[in-house]
Amino acid sequence: AQTVTQSQPEMSVQEAETVTLSCTYDTSESDYYLFWYKQPPSRQMILVIRQEAYKQQNATENRFSVNFQKAAKSFSLKISDSQLGDAAMYFCAYRNGGKLIFGQGTTLQVKP
Amino acid sequence: EAGVVQSPRYKIIEKKQPVAFWCNPISGHNTLYWYRQNLGQGPELLIRYENEEAVDDSQLPKDRFSAERLKGVDSTLKIQPAELGDSAVYLCASSETGGNEKLFFGSGTQLSVL
């Protein structure tokens, strides 16, 4: 069965600095998608970034980028120039076909 | 474009009472999901619909939970009777198909069972 593990329950970063959130996953599939979602106190899941497993190039979206290591089954999220609005819970997720499986989440605190 | 709409936003009930949650997915989205999110944890899938057919309900506690998606659009998730351990946020999401495209989430219903 596929699993997603986020080993950092909480992280903090100074405003304007860079932070990296870790994620590992386990699967026997070769074709799948990986996601990072942000969940602010409003509870709505917001897609931050998506990575297709067959693409070697790491995905980037403005200040957000990933380090995708397929062989190591690692998928970390880097947030550059952190802003106060980045404070939220971040979830790593894996998808192959219909099911989206989430990790336990990392709470990110941004200090002014 | 309207997003995924859920209601109510909050619900407080006493144990053993019934409760229902409603979800209206994005227009044209064939796949609808119900997730349960316990405090401080990631969401877990309860049930997935392709149009009006439940294609994955393996994690749905069928003794007390039921769901329906009439006409392949809106969906209702019901708990009867509710237990203290059912307190959680219930999230609805939709996607165009059941493939690997992204899911769009609603704001969820926070259920408190007293």
mmCIF file of all heavy atoms in Angstrom, chain A residues 53-80:
data_model
loop_
_atom_site.group_PDB
_atom_site.id
_atom_site.type_symbol
_atom_site.label_atom_id
_atom_site.label_comp_id
_atom_site.label_asym_id
_atom_site.label_seq_id
_atom_site.Cartn_x
_atom_site.Cartn_y
_atom_site.Cartn_z
ATOM 1 N N ALA A 53 5.677 12.175 -11.833
ATOM 2 C CA ALA A 53 6.816 11.308 -11.537
ATOM 3 C C ALA A 53 7.684 11.028 -12.765
ATOM 4 O O ALA A 53 8.876 10.770 -12.636
ATOM 5 C CB ALA A 53 6.338 9.995 -10.937
ATOM 6 N N TYR A 54 7.095 11.078 -13.952
ATOM 7 C CA TYR A 54 7.879 10.765 -15.141
ATOM 8 C C TYR A 54 8.746 11.938 -15.595
ATOM 9 O O TYR A 54 9.587 11.792 -16.483
ATOM 10 C CB TYR A 54 6.970 10.318 -16.283
ATOM 11 C CG TYR A 54 6.017 11.366 -16.786
ATOM 12 C CD1 TYR A 54 6.396 12.281 -17.764
ATOM 13 C CD2 TYR A 54 4.711 11.444 -16.297
ATOM 14 C CE1 TYR A 54 5.519 13.246 -18.224
ATOM 15 C CE2 TYR A 54 3.826 12.401 -16.755
ATOM 16 C CZ TYR A 54 4.235 13.302 -17.731
ATOM 17 O OH TYR A 54 3.357 14.253 -18.184
ATOM 18 N N LYS A 55 8.548 13.090 -14.994
ATOM 19 C CA LYS A 55 9.347 14.268 -15.344
ATOM 20 C C LYS A 55 10.537 14.381 -14.380
ATOM 21 O O LYS A 55 10.373 14.385 -13.165
ATOM 22 C CB LYS A 55 8.503 15.541 -15.267
ATOM 23 C CG LYS A 55 7.484 15.672 -16.382
ATOM 24 C CD LYS A 55 6.831 17.039 -16.346
ATOM 25 C CE LYS A 55 5.856 17.196 -17.510
ATOM 26 N NZ LYS A 55 5.185 18.526 -17.501
ATOM 27 N N GLN A 56 11.719 14.479 -14.937
ATOM 28 C CA GLN A 56 12.909 14.611 -14.096
ATOM 29 C C GLN A 56 13.082 16.030 -13.574
ATOM 30 O O GLN A 56 13.650 16.237 -12.506
ATOM 31 C CB GLN A 56 14.152 14.191 -14.880
ATOM 32 C CG GLN A 56 14.189 12.706 -15.203
ATOM 33 C CD GLN A 56 15.483 12.293 -15.851
ATOM 34 O OE1 GLN A 56 16.191 13.123 -16.410
ATOM 35 N NE2 GLN A 56 15.802 11.013 -15.797
ATOM 36 N N GLN A 57 12.599 16.995 -14.334
ATOM 37 C CA GLN A 57 12.759 18.380 -13.920
ATOM 38 C C GLN A 57 11.880 18.695 -12.731
ATOM 39 O O GLN A 57 10.690 18.366 -12.714
ATOM 40 C CB GLN A 57 12.419 19.312 -15.077
ATOM 41 C CG GLN A 57 12.696 20.774 -14.803
ATOM 42 C CD GLN A 57 12.488 21.639 -16.033
ATOM 43 O OE1 GLN A 57 12.004 21.179 -17.057
ATOM 44 N NE2 GLN A 57 12.861 22.902 -15.933
ATOM 45 N N ASN A 58 12.465 19.367 -11.741
ATOM 46 C CA ASN A 58 11.717 19.740 -10.553
ATOM 47 C C ASN A 58 10.735 20.864 -10.867
ATOM 48 O O ASN A 58 11.074 21.836 -11.538
ATOM 49 C CB ASN A 58 12.675 20.192 -9.452
ATOM 50 C CG ASN A 58 13.462 19.042 -8.873
ATOM 51 O OD1 ASN A 58 12.954 17.929 -8.752
ATOM 52 N ND2 ASN A 58 14.707 19.295 -8.528
ATOM 53 N N ALA A 59 9.514 20.731 -10.336
ATOM 54 C CA ALA A 59 8.491 21.753 -10.560
ATOM 55 C C ALA A 59 8.791 23.006 -9.743
ATOM 56 O O ALA A 59 9.349 22.932 -8.634
ATOM 57 C CB ALA A 59 7.124 21.193 -10.176
ATOM 58 N N THR A 60 8.424 24.148 -10.297
ATOM 59 C CA THR A 60 8.547 25.423 -9.587
ATOM 60 C C THR A 60 7.294 26.251 -9.835
ATOM 61 O O THR A 60 6.695 26.182 -10.909
ATOM 62 C CB THR A 60 9.775 26.230 -10.051
ATOM 63 O OG1 THR A 60 9.618 26.522 -11.449
ATOM 64 C CG2 THR A 60 11.055 25.453 -9.853
ATOM 65 N N GLU A 61 6.895 27.002 -8.820
ATOM 66 C CA GLU A 61 5.763 27.921 -8.903
ATOM 67 C C GLU A 61 6.130 29.154 -8.086
ATOM 68 O O GLU A 61 5.944 29.197 -6.889
ATOM 69 C CB GLU A 61 4.483 27.279 -8.348
ATOM 70 C CG GLU A 61 3.853 26.237 -9.203
ATOM 71 C CD GLU A 61 3.159 26.791 -10.437
ATOM 72 O OE1 GLU A 61 2.898 28.013 -10.485
ATOM 73 O OE2 GLU A 61 2.886 25.994 -11.351
ATOM 74 N N ASN A 62 6.664 30.153 -8.768
ATOM 75 C CA ASN A 62 7.064 31.403 -8.109
ATOM 76 C C ASN A 62 8.046 31.113 -6.973
ATOM 77 O O ASN A 62 9.145 30.631 -7.211
ATOM 78 C CB ASN A 62 5.816 32.146 -7.628
ATOM 79 C CG ASN A 62 4.883 32.472 -8.764
ATOM 80 O OD1 ASN A 62 5.301 32.944 -9.815
ATOM 81 N ND2 ASN A 62 3.591 32.183 -8.578
ATOM 82 N N ARG A 63 7.667 31.358 -5.733
ATOM 83 C CA ARG A 63 8.596 31.178 -4.606
ATOM 84 C C ARG A 63 8.656 29.729 -4.112
ATOM 85 O O ARG A 63 9.420 29.416 -3.203
ATOM 86 C CB ARG A 63 8.151 32.072 -3.435
ATOM 87 C CG ARG A 63 8.173 33.561 -3.751
ATOM 88 C CD ARG A 63 7.775 34.385 -2.534
ATOM 89 N NE ARG A 63 6.395 34.152 -2.122
ATOM 90 C CZ ARG A 63 6.038 33.480 -1.043
ATOM 91 N NH1 ARG A 63 6.947 32.941 -0.247
ATOM 92 N NH2 ARG A 63 4.760 33.328 -0.739
ATOM 93 N N PHE A 64 7.865 28.875 -4.708
ATOM 94 C CA PHE A 64 7.786 27.484 -4.276
ATOM 95 C C PHE A 64 8.469 26.569 -5.294
ATOM 96 O O PHE A 64 8.232 26.698 -6.499
ATOM 97 C CB PHE A 64 6.324 27.051 -4.116
ATOM 98 C CG PHE A 64 5.566 27.852 -3.096
ATOM 99 C CD1 PHE A 64 4.918 29.033 -3.451
ATOM 100 C CD2 PHE A 64 5.504 27.434 -1.780
ATOM 101 C CE1 PHE A 64 4.221 29.773 -2.506
ATOM 102 C CE2 PHE A 64 4.805 28.169 -0.836
ATOM 103 C CZ PHE A 64 4.169 29.340 -1.194
ATOM 104 N N SER A 65 9.290 25.675 -4.808
ATOM 105 C CA SER A 65 9.938 24.704 -5.682
ATOM 106 C C SER A 65 10.061 23.385 -4.933
ATOM 107 O O SER A 65 9.961 23.344 -3.699
ATOM 108 C CB SER A 65 11.311 25.205 -6.138
ATOM 109 O OG SER A 65 12.169 25.375 -5.024
ATOM 110 N N VAL A 66 10.261 22.326 -5.697
ATOM 111 C CA VAL A 66 10.404 21.010 -5.076
ATOM 112 C C VAL A 66 11.736 20.407 -5.436
ATOM 113 O O VAL A 66 12.361 20.759 -6.434
ATOM 114 C CB VAL A 66 9.265 20.045 -5.490
ATOM 115 C CG1 VAL A 66 7.912 20.591 -5.053
ATOM 116 C CG2 VAL A 66 9.306 19.760 -6.976
ATOM 117 N N ASN A 67 12.170 19.486 -4.583
ATOM 118 C CA ASN A 67 13.331 18.647 -4.867
ATOM 119 C C ASN A 67 12.810 17.211 -4.917
ATOM 120 O O ASN A 67 12.548 16.601 -3.873
ATOM 121 C CB ASN A 67 14.394 18.805 -3.791
ATOM 122 C CG ASN A 67 15.640 17.983 -4.107
ATOM 123 O OD1 ASN A 67 15.731 17.334 -5.151
ATOM 124 N ND2 ASN A 67 16.604 18.000 -3.215
ATOM 125 N N PHE A 68 12.605 16.726 -6.122
ATOM 126 C CA PHE A 68 12.030 15.410 -6.339
ATOM 127 C C PHE A 68 13.140 14.410 -6.597
ATOM 128 O O PHE A 68 13.863 14.511 -7.593
ATOM 129 C CB PHE A 68 11.055 15.464 -7.518
ATOM 130 C CG PHE A 68 10.489 14.132 -7.933
ATOM 131 C CD1 PHE A 68 9.989 13.235 -7.000
ATOM 132 C CD2 PHE A 68 10.442 13.777 -9.275
ATOM 133 C CE1 PHE A 68 9.460 12.019 -7.391
ATOM 134 C CE2 PHE A 68 9.905 12.560 -9.679
ATOM 135 C CZ PHE A 68 9.426 11.679 -8.735
ATOM 136 N N GLN A 69 13.277 13.447 -5.705
ATOM 137 C CA GLN A 69 14.265 12.385 -5.834
ATOM 138 C C GLN A 69 13.516 11.067 -5.958
ATOM 139 O O GLN A 69 13.165 10.446 -4.941
ATOM 140 C CB GLN A 69 15.193 12.378 -4.616
ATOM 141 C CG GLN A 69 15.944 13.669 -4.375
ATOM 142 C CD GLN A 69 17.011 13.920 -5.422
ATOM 143 O OE1 GLN A 69 17.627 12.980 -5.929
ATOM 144 N NE2 GLN A 69 17.226 15.178 -5.760
ATOM 145 N N LYS A 70 13.273 10.635 -7.208
ATOM 146 C CA LYS A 70 12.413 9.478 -7.419
ATOM 147 C C LYS A 70 12.995 8.202 -6.831
ATOM 148 O O LYS A 70 12.277 7.404 -6.225
ATOM 149 C CB LYS A 70 12.143 9.280 -8.918
ATOM 150 C CG LYS A 70 11.056 8.270 -9.207
ATOM 151 C CD LYS A 70 10.682 8.252 -10.674
ATOM 152 C CE LYS A 70 9.525 7.287 -10.929
ATOM 153 N NZ LYS A 70 9.119 7.260 -12.366
ATOM 154 N N ALA A 71 14.282 7.984 -7.000
ATOM 155 C CA ALA A 71 14.884 6.750 -6.498
ATOM 156 C C ALA A 71 14.811 6.692 -4.980
ATOM 157 O O ALA A 71 14.590 5.625 -4.395
ATOM 158 C CB ALA A 71 16.340 6.651 -6.960
ATOM 159 N N ALA A 72 14.980 7.822 -4.350
ATOM 160 C CA ALA A 72 14.929 7.883 -2.891
ATOM 161 C C ALA A 72 13.508 8.047 -2.380
ATOM 162 O O ALA A 72 13.273 8.001 -1.176
ATOM 163 C CB ALA A 72 15.786 9.047 -2.386
ATOM 164 N N LYS A 73 12.549 8.228 -3.293
ATOM 165 C CA LYS A 73 11.141 8.453 -2.945
ATOM 166 C C LYS A 73 11.026 9.609 -1.960
ATOM 167 O O LYS A 73 10.402 9.502 -0.890
ATOM 168 C CB LYS A 73 10.511 7.173 -2.403
ATOM 169 C CG LYS A 73 10.480 6.062 -3.455
ATOM 170 C CD LYS A 73 9.873 4.774 -2.937
ATOM 171 C CE LYS A 73 9.930 3.719 -4.039
ATOM 172 N NZ LYS A 73 9.453 2.400 -3.577
ATOM 173 N N SER A 74 11.630 10.702 -2.353
ATOM 174 C CA SER A 74 11.645 11.901 -1.531
ATOM 175 C C SER A 74 11.095 13.074 -2.338
ATOM 176 O O SER A 74 11.367 13.197 -3.540
ATOM 177 C CB SER A 74 13.075 12.190 -1.079
ATOM 178 O OG SER A 74 13.178 13.449 -0.475
ATOM 179 N N PHE A 75 10.343 13.937 -1.665
ATOM 180 C CA PHE A 75 9.660 15.034 -2.363
ATOM 181 C C PHE A 75 9.563 16.220 -1.401
ATOM 182 O O PHE A 75 8.560 16.393 -0.716
ATOM 183 C CB PHE A 75 8.269 14.556 -2.790
ATOM 184 C CG PHE A 75 7.476 15.560 -3.591
ATOM 185 C CD1 PHE A 75 7.939 16.044 -4.797
ATOM 186 C CD2 PHE A 75 6.237 15.999 -3.141
ATOM 187 C CE1 PHE A 75 7.201 16.957 -5.541
ATOM 188 C CE2 PHE A 75 5.486 16.908 -3.876
ATOM 189 C CZ PHE A 75 5.962 17.390 -5.076
ATOM 190 N N SER A 76 10.596 17.034 -1.339
ATOM 191 C CA SER A 76 10.616 18.145 -0.390
ATOM 192 C C SER A 76 10.165 19.442 -1.056
ATOM 193 O O SER A 76 10.311 19.623 -2.267
ATOM 194 C CB SER A 76 12.009 18.320 0.206
ATOM 195 O OG SER A 76 12.948 18.594 -0.806
ATOM 196 N N LEU A 77 9.617 20.327 -0.248
ATOM 197 C CA LEU A 77 9.120 21.626 -0.711
ATOM 198 C C LEU A 77 9.995 22.734 -0.159
ATOM 199 O O LEU A 77 10.218 22.796 1.058
ATOM 200 C CB LEU A 77 7.673 21.846 -0.239
ATOM 201 C CG LEU A 77 7.072 23.218 -0.539
ATOM 202 C CD1 LEU A 77 6.830 23.381 -2.036
ATOM 203 C CD2 LEU A 77 5.771 23.413 0.233
ATOM 204 N N LYS A 78 10.493 23.583 -1.034
ATOM 205 C CA LYS A 78 11.275 24.733 -0.620
ATOM 206 C C LYS A 78 10.476 26.006 -0.839
ATOM 207 O O LYS A 78 9.951 26.245 -1.931
ATOM 208 C CB LYS A 78 12.599 24.819 -1.388
ATOM 209 C CG LYS A 78 13.504 25.945 -0.896
ATOM 210 C CD LYS A 78 14.898 25.889 -1.500
ATOM 211 C CE LYS A 78 14.943 26.515 -2.858
ATOM 212 N NZ LYS A 78 16.341 26.659 -3.368
ATOM 213 N N ILE A 79 10.364 26.793 0.223
ATOM 214 C CA ILE A 79 9.685 28.085 0.145
ATOM 215 C C ILE A 79 10.736 29.168 0.299
ATOM 216 O O ILE A 79 11.411 29.247 1.343
ATOM 217 C CB ILE A 79 8.605 28.232 1.241
ATOM 218 C CG1 ILE A 79 7.636 27.049 1.200
ATOM 219 C CG2 ILE A 79 7.853 29.544 1.064
ATOM 220 C CD1 ILE A 79 6.623 27.039 2.339
ATOM 221 N N SER A 80 10.907 29.970 -0.715
ATOM 222 C CA SER A 80 11.894 31.056 -0.686
ATOM 223 C C SER A 80 11.213 32.364 -0.324
ATOM 224 O O SER A 80 10.020 32.541 -0.565
ATOM 225 C CB SER A 80 12.564 31.184 -2.061
ATOM 226 O OG SER A 80 13.141 29.977 -2.458
#
